Every structure is written in C-alpha cells, then in structure tokens.
C-alpha cells in the first residue's frame, strides 16, 4: 500500500506532460483490452439473440415474414423501456456525443448513457434496425478506457488520450481494421495528429484487434467479395462514380438532418415506435435491407447483375437507415454506409461489366463504393482509404480508391456544401465540440506538470505577521494565507500593493485563491485567472481537499501559451 501511494503520484505527474511515455502506452493497452472485452460481449450478445430466429447472422431474409415484422416493433419497445429505466435525459448516444465529450469533458462518459448504448445497441442490431455496431463500439470503448483513468485519478489530459485508445480498440474490435481505427480516431474524433497521442492509440488498437481475432477469427465481411485489379480505362468512369457517391452522401446527410429536425419535439418513445413500425413495414417487403452491412454484402456478391434486386436493396437500405438513425434508434452510421456504398458500387459496376463481358469487377466496385460514400458522408477520406486497404488486402485497389475518395469528397464539399454528418448533428443539438486556440493548447498539459512548490503558508496570521513574512520572501516565492471559517478553509495570495500604500491604507493585498483538483489541466487555470490576469490557483488532491500540494501562477499560464509551439 505504501509503495502504491508513492508510485501513483509519480505516475500522475508523469502523465500530466504531453509527451510520449511507456506508462501511458501500457495504460492505453489495458484500456484497449477492457474495451475489446466489452465489445466482444456486445457482439456475442447480438449473435446469440439472432441465432434464435436467423439462419445466418444479420440476414433477415432467412426468417419468415410473420416473425420478421414483429422484431423491430419488439426491439423498439424494449429500447424505450431501457431508456425509461436509465432516464430519458441520459439518451444522448453515438459518435457525435462521444466527440462532444472528448472535447468538453476529456472523454469521460456517463454510466447511464453507456448502459443505454450497450443494451439499446444490442436490441437495435439484433432486431433488424439498419444501424451499425461501431456507434456503440465507440461509446463503449471510450467509457471502458476513461473509467480506468478515472479510477487511477489520472490528469484529465491523459484520460482524454485513454478515451481515444478505447475508441480505437472498439472500432478495431468491431471491424478487424486496427490501422483504420487509429486513423478514424485521429481524423474524426480527436481531430489532431500528435505523436504522444498516436503511439498509445496505435498500441490499443493492436490489442483490440488481437483479442477480437482470438474470438471471431481474422476474417471480415468483405472476404466474400472478389476484389480484382482494374485497368486504366476504368479511371475516367471512376471519376463519374465518385461524383455519384458525393451526391448520394449529400442526399443522405440532408435527409438525415431533416428527419432529426422534424421529429425533435416528439417524445422518445413515440419516435422509437415510429422507427419500429417503418422498419417492420419496409423490412416485411425488403428483408435484404434490414440489419447492418452483412446482408447487403451477401446479396451484392450473389446477385451482381440483378439490377432490380440491387436497386430495391439500395432504396430500402437508405430509407431504413435514415428513419432508424433520424428517429433516435441507438447505433452507428458507418455500418449502414458500408452496406449502402457496397450495393451502390455494385450497381455502378454493371456498365463496365457489360463492356468487358463479365462481372468479375463487381467486388472491386463494391469496395470502392463503400470507401467513396464513407469519405463523403463522414468527411473521413484517410480513414476510408485505410479501411479499404485493410479490408480488401489488395494493393491494386489503392489508386482507384484514392481517385474515388478524393472525387467524392470534393464533390460533396465544393458543389453541395456538404458537412460531416457528425458535425451536422452536433451543430443542430447545440453540443459544443470546438475549443478556443488557448484551450486547445492548455488542455494538453496537466497542472501537475507545472506545479510550483515555492510558497510559504501562514495559518490565520495578522497583518503584522504577513508583513514580516513578505519582507523575508525571496522571489519567485509566494505567500499564502490560510483562513478558517465555519469549518471551511480559504486561501489567499498575499502581496504588497503600491497603489494601496499611496492611499494610506494597508499596503498588503489579499487575492482569493481558487482550488483545483490535481487532475485538472492548465485550461481550467486559465479559465479562473484570465479576467484578472494575475494571481494564482492552489492545487489539492481529492482525498485531502484542504491540503495544498502546490500552486500555479498566472505567469506560468502566459509562458505556456507563448512557448506552445516549442512545448507541444
């Protein structure tokens, strides 16, 4: 116990620095392990429930129509019941909510939200709603890893990195794409690239992939697709395909936001009931469009020339995804986007297939459709490219994928003014996700990194004692005055004030000191001191709030901002 009491404060101080460290890498791997275990339980629960009524996981065409329409209705009722038990105010879910918590709350996720995401996500995916498992995976991963940081009472700046580690492990555990998971976290969630952040997140993603592979194997759903190299004459046509993907992404995002705005004032239980009814109706007619992406992949492989079937699945999948996510069903958007993109890519492959006389290129176009739609919908071009590389296992796909992704992205941004679906949701829900330049710098440094111990504390002194102490101080040493009132302790920074002495009043000024938990970052110090632009705050540990362990002065904050480029 004594060794732990010595070791833990040293670890906390080390992780307050924005530097690559072995300790944070190990903790990131542990957070990734916790996230992977939770995601495995999540996936096994979905597979276990579906095994009672599906012949093949996520293929709802294998269940009779008499049962199929009941599944989403029952799922909606149970999701609403769980939301009621945990509290409707704790129902904000998915990647947009995680991005908000990463930026504003250092990635710490509320427990009740997580329970909603875990059980609600299982029910949504098991009952046939067209949502992806990566939404719950991101949420559960952030919760698992950040909880480890909260248990160890680590600085908030390192808890944010641990949350990123959990997210990477969660995505890696969901899709078996460890590198794409890392890029997605850096490009979409954290929206920054720094080595001291990149290393632990990368290791965590590796752990997530290895643990998941030990349970589900090393394959992925795209293994069903036959991916072949395509010749140069396809490239002009791929530009046209990219334009189509960019336009479809705009249509998807626009209509998603229309639905969210239209039904925002509806009670959650009514929105879920409507989503269940619409999924039951459309799923009754188009069972191939239900579920995440696996069913769409299966039919893209087995019927690459059936235009009517593919077009029906495409329309049904679009409608089911828009209604499910727009009405608040817990789940992610990436899985359905994969399915929609694969079906759309397979449809667009029909023309070049007719030219060459066979459909061998259908699998390649399916993967390109997935990548192009993902890049344009989520504004994640690099993550989309890496996902294609990992899932396809084909170097020949890289150049076509780059062409499609860039064309789709530029089309969406420049010609349709399309924004990321996540940022559109955040803006509409008025959930902040942007930081000021100062906060962006200061949140990366914990107060323990700059803790100043050059101070003297006087307990309930009079002015004469304070004056004597001030006369003996040697700069930059500070004098703190401790006052006790009604079983509470207050601290003041004592110093000479020339202006006061000229008026005949006491030459000593007492500036009240605010206290901050040792987990705080320099951003919280800045928020307290920025108006006065002088003084200091004192730092304490949660278990001993009355005991000062150090102070942070305003000049330290100012110096950090001036040296940001060198330090960070």
């Amino acid at each position: 116990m004594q060794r732990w009491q010595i070791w833990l404060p040293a670890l906390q101080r080390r992780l307050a620095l924005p530097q690559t460290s072995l300790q944070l890498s190990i903790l990131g791997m542990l957070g990734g392990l916790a996230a992977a275990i939770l995601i495995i339980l999540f996936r096994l629960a979905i597979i276990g429930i579906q095994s009672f009524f599906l012949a093949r996981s996520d293929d709802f065409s294998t269940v009779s129509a008499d049962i199929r329409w009941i599944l989403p209705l029952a799922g909606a009722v149970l999701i609403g019941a769980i939301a009621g038990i945990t509290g409707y105010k704790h129902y904000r879910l998915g990647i947009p909510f995680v991005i908000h918590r990463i930026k504003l709350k250092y990635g710490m996720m509320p427990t009740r939200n997580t329970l909603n995401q875990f059980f609600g996500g299982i029910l949504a995916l098991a009952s046939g709603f067209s949502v992806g498992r990566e939404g719950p995976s991101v949420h559960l991963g952030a919760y698992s890893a950040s909880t480890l940081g909260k248990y160890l009472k680590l600085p908030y700046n390192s808890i944010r990195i641990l949350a990123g580690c959990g997210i990477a492990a969660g995505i890696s555990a969901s899709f078996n794409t460890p590198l794409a998971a890392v890029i997605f976290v850096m490009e979409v969630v954290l929206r920054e690239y720094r080595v001291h952040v990149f290393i632990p997140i990368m290791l965590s993603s590796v752990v997530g992939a290895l643990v998941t592979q030990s349970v589900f194997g090393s394959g992925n759903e795209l293994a069903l697709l036959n991916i072949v190299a395509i010749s140069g004459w396809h490239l002009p046509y791929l530009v046209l395909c990219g334009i189509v993907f960019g336009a479809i992404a705009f249509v998807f995002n626009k209509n998603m936001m229309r639905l969210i705005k239209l039904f925002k004032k509806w009670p959650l239980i009514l929105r879920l009931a409507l989503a269940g009814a619409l999924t039951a109706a459309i799923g009754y007619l188009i069972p191939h469009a239900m579920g995440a992406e696996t069913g769409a992949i299966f039919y893209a492989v087995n019927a690459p020339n059936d235009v009517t079937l593919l077009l029906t699945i495409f329309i049904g999948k679009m409608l089911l995804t828009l209604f499910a996510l727009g009405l608040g069903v817990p789940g992610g958007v990436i899985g359905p986007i994969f399915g929609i993109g694969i079906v759309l890519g397979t449809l667009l492959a029909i023309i070049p297939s007719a030219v060459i006389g066979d459909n061998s290129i259908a699998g390649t176009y399916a993967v390109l459709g997935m990548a192009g739609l993902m890049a344009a919908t989520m504004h994640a071009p690099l993550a989309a490219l890496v996902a294609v590389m990992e899932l396809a296992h084909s170097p020949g796909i890289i150049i076509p994928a780059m062409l499609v992704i860039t064309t789709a992205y530029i089309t969406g941004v420049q010609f349709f003014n399309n924004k990321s679906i996540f940022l559109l949701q955040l803006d509409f829900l008025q959930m902040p996700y942007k930081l000021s330049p100062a906060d962006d710098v200061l949140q990366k440094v914990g107060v323990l990194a700059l803790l100043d111990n050059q101070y003297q504390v006087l307990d309930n002194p009079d002015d004469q004692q304070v004056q004597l102490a001030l006369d003996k101080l040697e700069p930059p040493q500070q004098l703190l005055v401790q006052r006790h009132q009604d079983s509470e302790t207050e601290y003041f920074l004592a110093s000479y004030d020339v202006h006061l002495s000229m008026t005949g009043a006491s030459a000593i000024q007492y500036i009240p000191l605010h206290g901050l938990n040792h987990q705080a970052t320099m951003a919280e110090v800045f928020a307290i001191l920025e108006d006065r632009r002088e003084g200091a705050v004192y730092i304490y540990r949660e278990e001993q709030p009355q005991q000062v362990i150090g102070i942070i002065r305003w000049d330290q904050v100012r110096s950090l901002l001036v040296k940001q480029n060198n330090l960070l």
Side-chain angles (χ1 to χ4, degrees):
M1 184 65 179
Q2 188 175 6
R3 182 176 295 180
W4 172 262
Q5 292 175 342
I6 296 173
W7 176 80
L8 185 57
L11 173 66
Q12 292 166 342
R13 180 166 290 200
R14 179 68 182 81
L15 298 187
L17 291 165
Q19 297 175 356
T20 305
S21 69
L22 175 63
Q23 296 93 324
L24 186 58
S25 297
I26 293 173
L27 288 172
M29 294 169 71
L30 291 174
L33 177 62
I37 292 172
L38 198 58
I39 302 306
I40 288 171
L41 293 175
F42 180 78
R43 292 182 62 180
L44 288 175
I46 296 168
I47 294 171
I49 294 173
Q50 288 186 344
S51 67
F52 287 105
F53 46 82
L54 296 186
R56 183 171 53 249
S57 179
D58 203 41
D59 185 358
F60 286 81
S61 66
T62 60
V63 65
S64 67
D66 294 335
I67 297 175
R68 187 167 60 242
W69 71 271
I70 297 175
L71 294 175
L73 292 174
V77 171
L78 293 174
I79 292 168
I82 291 171
I85 293 170
T86 56
Y88 291 118
K89 68 178 182 179
H90 298 287
Y91 195 75
R92 284 184 169 177
L93 309 170
I95 294 176
F97 180 70
V98 174
I99 294 173
H100 163 73
R101 298 291 296 192
I102 284 282
K103 289 298 183 182
L104 275 295
K105 300 293 182 181
Y106 298 101
M108 293 179 286
M109 309 301 295
T111 300
R112 290 190 181 185
N113 287 80
T114 305
L115 291 173
N116 264 321
Q117 187 71 92
F118 183 79
F119 293 107
I122 289 172
L123 290 168
L125 285 157
S127 58
F129 284 102
S130 183
V131 294
R133 61 175 179 259
E134 86 292 332
S137 299
V138 166
H139 196 118
L140 298 173
Y143 176 82
S144 302
S146 66
T147 299
L148 173 64
K150 286 194 291 184
Y151 174 75
L152 296 174
K153 297 180 179 177
L154 300 179
Y156 292 142
N157 62 305
S158 60
I159 291 179
R160 171 184 282 162
I161 297 174
L162 286 180
C165 292
I167 294 169
I171 296 175
S172 181
S174 293
F175 296 107
N176 196 22
T177 53
L179 182 55
V182 174
I183 300 301
F184 182 84
V185 171
M186 309 300 283
E187 186 176 36
V188 176
V189 181
L190 296 180
R191 303 177 74 194
E192 64 175 346
Y193 291 88
R194 299 192 184 276
V195 174
H196 76 279
V197 178
F198 186 84
I199 295 299
I201 287 177
M202 185 162 56
L203 291 171
S204 174
S205 185
V206 169
V207 170
L210 291 176
V211 173
T212 308
Q213 288 173 9
S214 68
V215 177
F216 297 105
S218 58
N220 59 70
E221 289 85 353
L222 292 191
L224 295 171
L225 297 171
N226 180 33
I227 300 168
V228 299
I230 56 179
S231 57
W233 70 266
H234 287 268
L235 299 183
Y237 182 68
L238 290 179
V239 172
L240 296 177
C241 292
I243 294 172
V244 173
F245 299 141
I248 294 296
F250 168 73
V251 171
F252 181 88
N253 288 4
K254 190 76 173 177
N255 285 285
M256 172 78 77
M257 295 312 302
R258 280 178 178 168
L259 285 170
I260 292 174
K261 294 173 184 177
L262 181 62
F263 294 101
K264 181 187 179 183
K265 294 183 179 179
W266 281 37
L268 176 64
I269 193 67
L270 290 181
R271 284 188 279 128
L272 291 174
L274 179 59
L278 290 170
T279 301
I282 297 174
Y284 184 86
L285 300 172
I286 316 172
H288 322 83
M290 295 178 69
E293 74 278 1
T294 309
I297 294 172
F298 178 79
Y299 285 97
V301 170
N302 288 278
N305 290 324
D306 192 335
V307 178
T308 303
L309 176 62
L310 291 173
L311 194 58
T312 302
I313 295 175
F314 171 72
I315 295 171
K317 194 75 179 168
M318 281 280 285
L319 292 174
L320 287 180
T321 304
L322 288 171
F323 283 123
L325 295 176
L327 292 169
V329 175
V333 70
I334 298 179
I337 286 296
F338 278 6
I340 294 169
I342 285 168
V343 174
L344 181 58
T346 307
L347 275 169
L348 292 173
I350 291 175
I351 294 176
S353 294
V355 172
I356 63 176
D358 66 67
N359 57 18
S360 60
I361 59 170
T364 303
Y365 271 76
V367 174
L368 294 175
M370 177 197 78
L373 202 58
M374 176 183 175
T377 304
M378 285 164 271
H379 282 205
L382 189 55
L385 176 61
V386 175
V388 166
M389 292 166 56
E390 285 191 289
L391 292 170
H393 299 292
S394 173
I397 200 73
I398 296 176
I399 291 178
M402 292 174 69
L403 183 61
V404 168
I405 287 170
T406 52
T407 305
Y409 185 81
I410 292 171
T411 299
V413 171
Q414 182 164 348
F415 297 103
F416 294 102
N417 195 27
N418 193 24
K419 292 180 66 176
S420 164
I421 186 61
F422 304 133
L423 301 189
L424 287 171
Q425 290 176 272
L426 286 167
D427 288 336
F428 174 71
L429 296 172
Q430 297 182 340
M431 291 166 46
Y433 60 92
K434 295 179 181 179
L435 298 174
S436 68
D439 283 339
D440 191 43
V441 171
L442 297 174
Q443 280 193 2
K444 295 178 174 64
V445 184
V447 293
L448 292 179
L450 299 177
L451 208 60
D452 183 8
N453 292 311
Q454 299 184 75
Y455 61 89
Q456 178 185 348
V457 180
L458 295 182
D459 190 5
N460 280 326
D462 55 31
D463 284 354
Q464 186 176 2
Q465 291 173 311
V466 172
Q467 187 172 350
L468 288 173
L470 286 173
D471 291 339
K472 295 178 181 179
L473 281 182
E474 295 184 5
Q477 194 174 31
Q478 304 289 316
L479 180 63
L480 306 188
V481 173
Q482 189 178 40
R483 306 284 190 194
H484 304 283
Q485 185 176 4
D486 299 331
S487 72
E488 292 187 2
T489 301
E490 294 181 324
Y491 288 93
F492 298 85
L493 182 66
S495 62
Y496 282 123
D497 190 321
V498 177
H499 298 291
L500 289 175
S501 63
M502 293 176 66
T503 64
S506 170
I508 301 172
Q509 67 171 347
Y510 297 94
I511 301 175
L513 290 185
H514 292 270
L516 284 174
N517 189 299
H518 75 279
Q519 294 178 274
T521 69
M522 295 297 289
E524 285 77 51
V525 179
F526 180 74
I528 293 172
L529 301 180
E530 66 172 325
D531 289 337
R532 294 176 59 96
R533 296 188 178 267
E534 63 176 351
V537 300
Y538 71 89
I539 310 302
Y540 62 88
R541 294 192 180 277
E542 187 177 351
E543 57 272 18
Q544 296 176 312
Q546 306 299 329
Q547 183 176 341
V548 178
I549 63 172
I551 63 173
I552 301 291
R553 306 184 312 275
W554 166 253
D555 61 283
Q556 291 176 285
V557 179
R558 183 178 57 197
S559 177
L560 180 58
L561 288 172
V562 171
K563 297 188 300 182
Q564 59 172 301
N565 291 329
N566 293 329
L567 178 62
L568 303 176

